[in-house]
Amino acid sequence: MPEDNPYDTMQNQLEETLQYADVDEEIFEVIRTPDRVLEFSVPVRMDDGSIEVFDGYRCQFDDARGPYKGGIRFHPAVNEDEVKALAGWMTWKTSVSDVPFGGGKGGVCCQPKEMSEKELERVSRRYAKEVRRFVGPEDDVPAPDVNTGPQTMAWMTDTFSILKDKTVPGAFTGKPLNFGGSEGRVEATGRGIYFVAREAVEYFDGDISDTTVAVQGFGNVGSIGARLLEEAGADVVAVSDSTGGLYHPSGLDVKQLEEFKKTDSFENYDSQGVEHVTNYDVLTEDVDVLIPAALENAIDIEVAQETDSDLIVEGANGPTTTEADEHLVERGVPIMPAILASAGGVIVSYFEWVQNLQRYQWTKDRVNDELERQIVDAFEDTMGAWEEIETDSVRTAAYKVAMERVAETHETRGLFV
Ligand code: NAD
């Protein structure tokens, strides 16, 4: 079966929402279409002296509510449609969480796992050089995504700053703490997942300390989300990475797994009582909360038909295909959509940008408190819309909130010439 094209998935989600949203049809055509997509080559000198030319992208989807905002991904599956979809999702994510940004996304089609640190630095610097005319604190503010992190942002900010002849920390977020980064940024998306899972479990009359959880993907988002859920008393019974899954009926030791993952992958993990399972098993386990936190299309129709979770909290962007989504809504499994559940990263990126512009550092407690307030507000706005509309899809409710905000700003601003 061909995989869903994520851009089609996003367009389907918008069309599905239109019937419930107070959005003028002409404005809808404006907001569903990306403003622009940059495609460029990223030539890099490899360690063996050869030159490789990678494809680079940056999509700027919508900036009506503020500068474009969104991550940069290094992955072999990066392509124009993926970048457009992810940039669109960022537009709805910044809107539903009510931060004054639009949406953008970028990437380089490459295999970072086969590249040295020096090669990654050269890819990062060349990428920053290619996009420098289009990004900046008032224009477009990139951040980390899959296979990029604080060091990538440091290289990119340094390159951008050198080419501008001044230090511009607000041009990228997700930077290291000693170079304009924010306290709490590394953990922000996982922490947001935890807040949304906690609120959603409570909304449906449960208690987070009394839940079982499965997490697909044990990177930045999945591992930190799992750790915070464990700290809140939940049993994280199943996790996976790209090499396979692990299962323990009374709960895995998440902190130990985090340590282990620093140097190894789950296929080599060995601990008493821990069973090796497939990635599919992790997605279909009988748990209270399932968190897909790897890549797009993880929950397809096959998984949706078999999954035994009572609630899905999307950590990854676009992890549920359209067909799977419809099936799960019909079955009455609530899905907290990524535009809400994984908004913690962009919310704290916004705080980082504010701190950079103010040249003032917030404390970790302040960052975490403001993140909690902002994401809980977004959850409440979404569930308020959900109670209003005649559909069981929480995703549609979140899109309604997001689309109406973006559309309203377009209406207020009007159309230039
Ligand atoms: P990451 O690279 O740190 O981690 C990805 C994890 O997924 C790794 O553990 C990898 O082994 C695992 N994985 C890959 N393919 C898998 C498969 N088939 N089965 C099981 N596991 C698999 O990336 P991340 O930053 O944690 O991002 C994960 C997702 O969350 C992406 O969709 C990203 O766009 C989204 N997201 C990230 C952030 C952020 O702040 N990092 C914010 C919002 C959304």
Side-chain angles (χ1 to χ4, degrees), residues 335-363:
I335 304 174
M336 296 297 127
I339 61 166
L340 166 69
S342 72
V346 77
I347 291 172
V348 175
S349 270
Y350 164 53
F351 298 158
E352 180 177 335
W353 178 79
V354 167
Q355 292 170 72
N356 292 156
L357 299 189
Q358 293 177 333
R359 297 282 200 263
Y360 183 76
Q361 193 89 21
W362 297 4
T363 63

Side-chain angles (χ1 to χ4, degrees), residues 191-210:
R191 190 171 291 278
I193 295 289
Y194 159 65
F195 288 136
V196 171
R198 182 193 71 191
E199 294 298 305
V201 167
E202 262 175 40
Y203 185 92
F204 293 108
D205 294 329
D207 183 333
I208 200 69
S209 65
D210 197 21

Side-chain angles (χ1 to χ4, degrees), residues 73 93 105 145-147 185 189 216-222 240-242 261 279 293-295 315-317 342 345:
R73 177 177 292 196
K93 191 178 279 190
K105 202 84 178 192
D145 190 67
V146 175
N147 295 324
R185 173 62 185 87
T189 307
Q216 182 221 20
F218 206 73
N220 175 276
V221 178
S240 64
D241 66 10
S242 56
K261 271 293 284 180
N279 183 44
L295 292 173
N317 289 303
S342 72

Side-chain angles (χ1 to χ4, degrees), residues 7-21:
Y7 190 61
D8 292 341
T9 302
M10 191 205 56
Q11 291 292 338
N12 290 339
Q13 291 162 347
L14 294 177
E15 280 168 18
E16 170 63 23
T17 307
L18 188 58
Q19 58 186 307
Y20 303 104

